[in-house]
């Protein structure tokens, strides 16, 4: 994940937008709801925001925001029809909040070409805004993982159902492994050697934490560079659609499992209740947060956003 400020060619520091990505392996866990609601909360707090619908193929962020679409879509940018990324960010009915829509896009995120992904990743920083929120699709395609890893903060939405929890671990494992592609060639070779050694010893691949311990014993410097790479990820769990008091404990238990199996720390941003008015607001094509600003859910979303903004300002 990147530092807070980009240095312009003049040598002067120019601020670039903070990028938050919302991911998670499973479909229907609230990624789009959280992206659009966090976008609204930031806009309400006086920030300029662009939310980007990267769920190409299944894009529906515009619906969560209560609009039918925008003049241009992400495809127009990826295909070169529109060259300035700022032009594809269309206005919404909410002040300071713009949307890069994937509506009616025929592209699929897993199939966009390398140069298209690279162009988008590079130019997100050129969006004239304070915050960029990336709403990712379900699944663990390399492209989805790369957008997630690129963000300053990676938020993982999980619901209390066992399938979602299982998918969360799968997603996180894929994120960690993908992140390690950035380690130097030599380090990767050493990782291969340790893996081969483990296999020869008749051991299973085991947990990432076990593996890191092995590497630490055999090649401390390699272990340090792997840890450094993993530590640049700023990951946070959000437990969504909470219905029972005990559901709120899921965040802490995922944190513990991550530290045991992946040997890495992951933040727990907080939980959001299930609120049946979310569906009502969708049916009425009105954004939830501005329609029910005093609801417990809306207040919790404001709180999560304030807490993450405070981490950015540290
Ligand atoms: N806290 C909540 N309370 C009530 N309904 C919610 C809540 N969060 C999400 N929903 C609803 O659950 C459904 C799934 O949410 P959403 O579309 O945001 O999930 P998603 O993770 O983006 O799914 P996909 O992977 O298919 O894109 C939507 O109808 C959404 O409005
Ligand atoms: Mg979605």
């Amino acid at each position: 994940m990147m530092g807070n400020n980009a240095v312009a060619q003049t040598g002067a520091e120019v601020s670039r937008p903070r990028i938050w990505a919302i991911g998670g392996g499973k479909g229907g866990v609230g990624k789009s709801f959280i992206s659009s609601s966090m976008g609204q909360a930031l806009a309400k707090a006086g920030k300029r925001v662009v939310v980007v619908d990267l769920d190409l193929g299944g894009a529906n962020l515009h619906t969560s925001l209560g609009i039918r679409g925008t003049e241009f879509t992400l495809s127009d940018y990826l295909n070169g029809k529109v060259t300035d990324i700022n032009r594809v960010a269309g206005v919404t009915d909410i002040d300071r909040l713009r949307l890069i829509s994937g509506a009616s896009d025929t592209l699929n995120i897993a199939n966009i070409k390398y140069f298209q992904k690279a162009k988008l990743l590079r130019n997100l920083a050129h969006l004239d805004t304070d915050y960029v929120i990336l709403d990712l699709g379900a699944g663990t395609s390399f492209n989805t993982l790369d957008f997630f890893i690129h963000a300053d903060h990676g938020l993982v939405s999980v619901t209390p159902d066992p399938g979602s929890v299982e998918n969360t671990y799968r997603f996180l494992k894929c994120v960690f492994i993908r992140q390690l592609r950035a380690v130097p060639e030599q380090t990767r070779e050493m990782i291969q050697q340790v893996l081969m050694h483990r296999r020869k010893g008749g051991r299973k691949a085991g947990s990432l934490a076990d593996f890191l311990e092995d590497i630490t014993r055999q090649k401390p410097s390699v272990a340090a560079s792997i840890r450094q790479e993993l530590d640049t990820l700023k990951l946070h769990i959000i437990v969504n659609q909470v219905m029972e008091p005990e559901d709120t404990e899921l965040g802490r238990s995922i944190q513990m499992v991550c530290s045991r199996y992946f040997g890495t720390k992951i933040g727990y941003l907080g939980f959001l209740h299930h609120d049946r008015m979310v569906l009502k607001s969708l049916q009425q094509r009105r954004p939830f947060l501005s329609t029910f600003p005093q609801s417990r859910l809306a207040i919790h979303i404001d709180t999560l956003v304030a807490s993450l903004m405070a981490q950015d300002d540290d």
Side-chain angles (χ1 to χ4, degrees), residues 266-281:
I266 175 162
Y268 172 36
L269 199 58
F271 61 84
L272 299 171
H273 286 100
H274 176 83
D275 184 335
R276 55 194 180 80
M277 298 315 277
V278 172
L279 181 60
K280 268 266 166 310
S281 61

Side-chain angles (χ1 to χ4, degrees), residues 76-88 119 123:
D76 294 326
Y77 178 67
L78 294 176
N79 294 332
K81 183 176 158 198
V82 177
T83 49
D84 178 0
I85 193 166
N86 282 291
R87 274 193 73 209
V88 276
K119 172 170 100 160
N123 287 305

Side-chain angles (χ1 to χ4, degrees), residues 23-36 55 58 60 64 135-139 157 159 240-242 272-279 281-282 297 301:
K26 199 160 184 274
V29 292
K31 297 180 293 294
S32 300
F33 171 72
I34 293 172
S35 302
S36 67
D55 189 2
N60 58 13
S64 301
D135 174 25
L136 300 175
S157 171
T159 58
N240 187 29
Q241 308 224 21
V242 161
L272 299 171
H273 286 100
H274 176 83
D275 184 335
R276 55 194 180 80
M277 298 315 277
V278 172
L279 181 60
S281 61
L282 266 182
L297 178 55
I301 291 164

Side-chain angles (χ1 to χ4, degrees), residues 53-294:
D53 198 338
L54 282 172
D55 189 2
L56 301 179
N60 58 13
L61 198 52
H62 54 291
T63 315
S64 301
L65 288 167
I67 57 172
R68 284 184 194 281
T70 47
E71 187 183 355
F72 298 113
T73 68
L74 193 52
S75 287
D76 294 326
Y77 178 67
L78 294 176
N79 294 332
K81 183 176 158 198
V82 177
T83 49
D84 178 0
I85 193 166
N86 282 291
R87 274 193 73 209
V88 276
V91 292
T92 68
D93 296 335
I94 296 153
D95 285 345
R96 293 179 290 278
L97 181 70
R98 289 182 298 153
L99 168 68
I100 295 186
S101 173
S104 68
D105 265 342
T106 46
L107 284 176
N108 185 311
I109 185 87
N111 300 334
I112 65 170
K113 300 208 166 60
Y114 177 81
F115 82 90
Q116 292 175 310
K117 175 176 69 178
K119 172 170 100 160
L120 184 55
L121 282 171
R122 198 171 54 241
N123 287 305
L124 287 173
H126 296 143
L127 277 164
D128 183 20
T129 186
D130 302 314
Y131 283 87
V132 175
I133 296 188
L134 308 179
D135 174 25
L136 300 175
T140 53
S141 76
F142 282 164
N143 287 345
T144 294
L145 295 173
D146 287 348
F147 282 107
F148 187 81
I149 285 168
H150 180 79
D152 298 298
H153 290 280
L155 311 180
V156 181
S157 171
V158 56
T159 58
D161 83 277
S164 161
V165 177
E166 212 175 285
N167 267 277
T168 299
Y169 293 128
R170 198 171 303 143
F171 179 75
L172 287 171
K173 188 172 176 183
C174 292
V175 166
F176 293 134
I177 290 171
R178 186 74 180 151
Q179 174 71 359
L180 289 183
R181 86 205 178 290
V183 298
E185 180 68 36
Q186 226 182 351
T187 307
R188 246 178 299 150
E189 275 166 21
M190 285 180 192
I191 295 174
Q192 290 298 340
Q193 279 171 19
V194 174
L195 280 175
M196 230 154 64
H197 188 74
R198 285 169 75 96
R199 254 180 252 129
K200 272 193 194 144
R203 295 166 65 185
K204 283 196 290 187
S207 73
L208 193 58
D210 268 0
F211 169 70
L212 283 175
E213 251 176 54
D214 253 14
I215 290 226
T216 308
R217 268 193 300 274
Q218 296 176 37
K219 311 264 180 205
S221 62
V222 174
S225 89
I226 293 177
R227 285 210 177 275
Q228 197 183 1
E229 210 50 65
L230 294 179
D231 285 348
T232 62
L233 292 166
K234 290 191 189 131
L235 306 180
H236 313 261
I237 294 286
I238 297 176
V239 180
N240 187 29
Q241 308 224 21
V242 161
M243 293 210 236
E244 308 295 337
E246 59 268 27
D247 294 342
T248 62
E249 286 158 30
L250 181 60
R252 299 267 171 244
S253 86
I254 292 180
Q255 269 190 312
M256 264 162 47
V257 173
C258 280
S259 127
R260 197 172 329 133
Y261 286 94
F262 301 134
T264 39
K265 281 209 180 76
I266 175 162
Y268 172 36
L269 199 58
F271 61 84
L272 299 171
H273 286 100
H274 176 83
D275 184 335
R276 55 194 180 80
M277 298 315 277
V278 172
L279 181 60
K280 268 266 166 310
S281 61
L282 266 182
Q283 286 167 338
Q284 296 172 358
R285 288 193 163 271
R286 294 164 72 194
F288 173 80
L289 210 82
S290 48
T291 312
F292 300 101
Q294 296 308 324

